[in-house]
Amino acid sequence: MKAGPKSAVDDSPLPFKPRSKVESEKFEKFAHKFIKTPKGTGAGKPLKPRPWQMEIVRDILDSGARTVGLMLPRGSAKTTLSAAVGVFVMTTWGEAANVVVFAVDERQAGLAFNAARRMVELSEELSSRIQIFKDRMYMPSTDSSFQVMPASAASAEGLDYVLAIVDEAGVVNRDLFEVVQLAQGKRQRSVLVAIGTPGPNLDDQVLLSLREYAADHPEDKSLRFREFSAAGFEHHPVDCKHCWELANPALDDFLHRDALQALQPPKTREATFRRARLCQLASETEGGFLPPGVWESLNTGELIDDGTEVVIALDGSFSEDTTALLLGTVSTEPHFHTLAVWEKPKGDDGWRVPVEEVEDTIRAACKQFQVVEIIADPFRWTRTLQVLQSESLPVVEFPHSPTRLTAATGDVYSAAVAGKLTHSGEPKLAAHVAAAVVTEGDRGMRLAKASRSRQARKIDLAACLVMAHSRATWRATKKPKRRRARSFRR
Ligand SMILES: Nc1ncnc2c1ncn2[C@@H]1O[C@H](COP(=O)(O)OP(=O)(O)OP(=O)(O)O)[C@@H](O)[C@H]1O
Ligand SMILES: [Mg+2]
């Protein structure tokens, strides 16, 4: 008999006494005992969480993180697994264990709710204890509920939950997400799960912001992020089996290879297939500054010898919390090495760039190397440039005008792909170059950050590279024959 709002509800405790105190282990037992796979492969059979699904479950239930971000491709049981965890939490976390599900729209939220509802209906023990309504399930014995919420920020105000599931976090509205996130703190134990496949808008989406934040703040244990993706293998062909397997843990299990095969380009656009089926963020390669593998191929591992003729580029204009100095040898095929980078320590919002330390580092480098130019955008560095110039150091202004930057960026690009520059393999420089994307303007390409968010990965050393390369090669071809006493400004 189906339980319903009007039928008698069994208020005896659920016959479930797991020996383990570990939540994820309890969940595994609970799934075996009470949850049947609601549909698809294995429908009607007890839900057996796979080892990779247990990793996700541990993130949600054991890690202590308040927010858990999970990025998986389409069809990897995101909805089903989160519904199962929701049913577990609702029925085993004691009094007032409220579970809420948000999604982009009612249809999506309905999918998660329906999966949970079917799980309850398919279990005698659960259905006799839980009342099922249109968009809500209620367990009177503990005053716990499982509810689908309309996808609006207003509906999320004042929430009180122990588990919130934001399904489709790749497309969910940011305002809504933030309201759900801010509702935390009322319970000693509560967790927000943002699970999804990357959505089409790569510039602004909740899932990727969490991913970026997690990458930048590994020390922040309140956020846990896990992805199943073939990110980093964007240069592999779209039908690369290794990438398919890497990104799709459910492949050949309940995700069928022939279905994936059938969806391949040209049936879907390559960028879409890569994003949705491999969690590869297409614009990372499409807009990426250098083609994959190019920067690595230019690494000679060599430092720059003392006394070498060099230029120094100074930049920090892409992020207020980073300042970078890059050395480049004066040559038609220059060699680059990071001189110094200052970054805001995590969480220290009062931090400012230590301008005097930057100036001292430049002065020290002028003693160590034969520095022919110190290059910076005068817009942000007027004072420093004036001070250094007053000490007769060879300051050169490099105004960041679109025309100038575009030409210089194009030159670095051509030189890099033609193997006409090298570098020392310094990791920060590599990271900044990898994080840089280009925007195509009327006059050609210019560097930009992959996203405008303040947490976006830094690219200041890449900006230094553009300036340093421009001046180092110019110097090499047009070396002043005889130095006269004149200003170095041009
Ligand atoms: N061990 C398992 N865990 C979860 N789901 C399973 C398992 N075995 C089979 N399935 C089935 O796999 C399917 C997973 O589909 P589901 O809608 O949950 O995936 P999804 O990642 O949310 O998909 P989409 O990207 O379209 O939103 C369901 O039909 C589910 O019943
Ligand atoms: Mg889903």
Side-chain angles (χ1 to χ4, degrees):
M1 187 191 69
K2 263 193 191 175
K6 292 199 183 69
S7 56
V9 176
D10 180 352
D11 58 7
S12 66
L14 201 62
F16 181 56
K17 299 244 171 325
R19 248 179 267 137
S20 174
K21 290 270 170 290
V22 180
E23 287 297 328
S24 60
E25 290 172 12
K26 288 197 217 170
F27 169 79
E28 199 170 14
K29 290 259 160 9
F30 181 91
H32 282 293
K33 189 160 179 193
F34 299 114
I35 298 191
K36 296 205 173 73
T37 306
K39 60 185 173 70
T41 311
K45 303 226 175 72
L47 185 91
K48 280 210 191 80
R50 311 297 191 243
W52 61 271
Q53 290 180 306
M54 285 308 297
E55 288 178 33
I56 296 177
V57 172
R58 282 192 285 274
D59 290 337
I60 302 174
L61 297 177
D62 302 344
S63 74
R66 286 283 182 172
T67 305
V68 178
L70 298 163
M71 179 166 98
L72 294 102
R74 291 252 150 262
S76 41
K78 300 181 294 298
T79 302
T80 309
L81 186 66
S82 32
V85 172
V87 172
F88 166 76
V89 167
M90 172 201 182
T91 48
T92 67
W93 276 22
E95 284 297 310
N98 298 329
V99 176
V100 290
V101 182
F102 288 90
V104 253
D105 53 36
E106 274 173 36
R107 200 192 70 85
Q108 272 299 341
L111 291 179
F113 182 75
N114 284 343
R117 183 179 52 82
R118 277 306 287 158
M119 289 171 189
V120 170
E121 284 172 354
L122 291 170
S123 155
E124 185 90 16
E125 261 106 0
L126 295 179
S127 60
S128 61
R129 288 172 176 79
I130 294 173
Q131 297 176 321
I132 300 177
F133 303 91
K134 187 169 151 280
D135 50 12
R136 182 165 175 262
M137 292 192 283
Y138 181 64
M139 187 152 122
S141 59
T142 57
D143 187 31
S144 300
S145 65
F146 187 119
Q147 192 166 6
V148 217
M149 305 297 291
S152 76
S155 72
E157 300 280 356
L159 272 183
D160 181 21
Y161 61 80
V162 291
L163 171 67
I165 300 166
V166 173
D167 199 4
E168 298 294 337
V171 279
V172 82
N173 173 288
R174 184 178 293 276
D175 292 339
L176 166 65
F177 179 77
E178 284 176 357
V179 176
V180 180
Q181 202 169 28
L182 287 173
Q184 289 215 61
K186 294 173 186 153
R187 302 287 189 109
Q188 194 185 5
R189 175 166 69 164
S190 69
V191 55
L192 163 59
V193 177
I195 187 165
T197 299
N201 180 0
L202 297 178
D203 288 339
D204 180 25
Q205 65 175 279
V206 168
L207 186 65
L208 297 185
S209 304
L210 291 176
R211 180 181 192 247
E212 210 171 273
Y213 181 87
D216 286 351
H217 300 269
E219 78 292 347
D220 186 348
K221 300 286 179 264
S222 70
L223 169 70
R224 186 87 162 192
F225 192 89
R226 185 182 294 278
E227 69 184 60
F228 291 85
S229 77
F233 295 98
E234 287 79 3
H235 53 295
H236 286 195
V238 73
D239 62 353
C240 165
K241 298 297 173 269
H242 145 267
C243 288
W244 285 24
E245 281 160 21
L246 198 59
N248 292 281
L251 191 65
D252 298 331
D253 183 358
F254 50 85
L255 177 69
H256 302 282
R257 199 178 279 264
D258 58 331
L260 228 63
Q261 209 90 44
L263 285 166
Q264 276 199 94
K267 291 216 183 67
T268 50
R269 280 184 304 146
E270 178 166 340
T272 310
F273 186 92
R274 285 185 181 276
R275 178 170 53 72
R277 295 291 172 171
L278 303 173
C279 288
Q280 290 177 335
L281 309 173
S283 88
E284 276 181 357
T285 46
E286 279 176 4
F289 177 40
L290 295 180
V294 166
W295 188 253
E296 296 73 43
S297 73
L298 302 169
N299 178 4
T300 65
E302 284 162 33
L303 300 177
I304 298 175
D305 292 336
D306 289 358
T308 308
E309 211 179 12
V310 294
V311 299
I312 299 177
L314 161 63
D315 198 48
S317 49
F318 280 93
S319 40
E320 288 175 7
D321 45 14
T322 303
T323 292
L325 289 173
L326 184 72
L327 293 169
T329 58
V330 173
S331 163
T332 49
E333 298 186 10
H335 184 72
F336 297 95
H337 179 61
T338 306
L339 179 57
V341 181
W342 290 264
E343 279 173 342
K344 182 175 78 125
K346 315 276 180 216
D348 182 356
D349 285 337
W351 187 83
R352 296 285 171 272
V353 176
V355 177
E356 284 170 15
E357 211 179 301
V358 176
E359 291 167 2
D360 283 345
T361 307
I362 296 174
R363 287 186 190 103
C366 289
K367 296 205 175 91
Q368 188 181 355
F369 304 100
Q370 195 189 329
V371 177
V372 295
E373 291 191 3
I374 300 159
I375 313 147
D377 175 6
F379 177 67
R380 284 196 64 214
W381 294 97
T382 317
R383 195 199 90 98
T384 293
L385 295 186
Q386 279 168 0
V387 169
L388 296 177
Q389 199 165 27
S390 71
E391 297 168 22
S392 302
L393 294 178
V395 166
V396 170
E397 292 184 356
F398 196 104
H400 282 190
S401 71
T403 340
R404 196 156 184 194
L405 277 185
T406 306
T409 309
D411 288 348
V412 182
Y413 178 87
S414 314
V417 294
K420 292 191 182 310
L421 67 85
T422 51
H423 61 85
S424 61
E426 195 280 315
K428 281 237 156 80
L429 175 58
H432 286 210
V433 170
V437 298
V438 286
T439 52
E440 299 281 336
D442 299 345
R443 301 188 193 89
M445 55 162 117
R446 286 174 62 192
L447 284 191
K449 287 201 290 188
S451 119
R452 265 189 260 286
S453 103
R454 288 201 59 205
Q455 284 107 24
R457 289 179 294 154
K458 309 293 183 236
I459 67 162
D460 302 273
L461 277 168
C464 286
L465 177 70
V466 169
M467 294 192 289
H469 179 267
S470 167
R471 298 300 307 170
T473 47
W474 190 87
R475 274 279 176 171
T477 47
K478 301 192 178 56
K479 255 186 195 166
K481 296 217 173 62
R482 200 174 295 142
R483 288 234 184 105
R484 277 188 233 126
R486 65 178 173 87
S487 163
F488 285 88
R489 286 184 68 160
R490 73 208 64 245

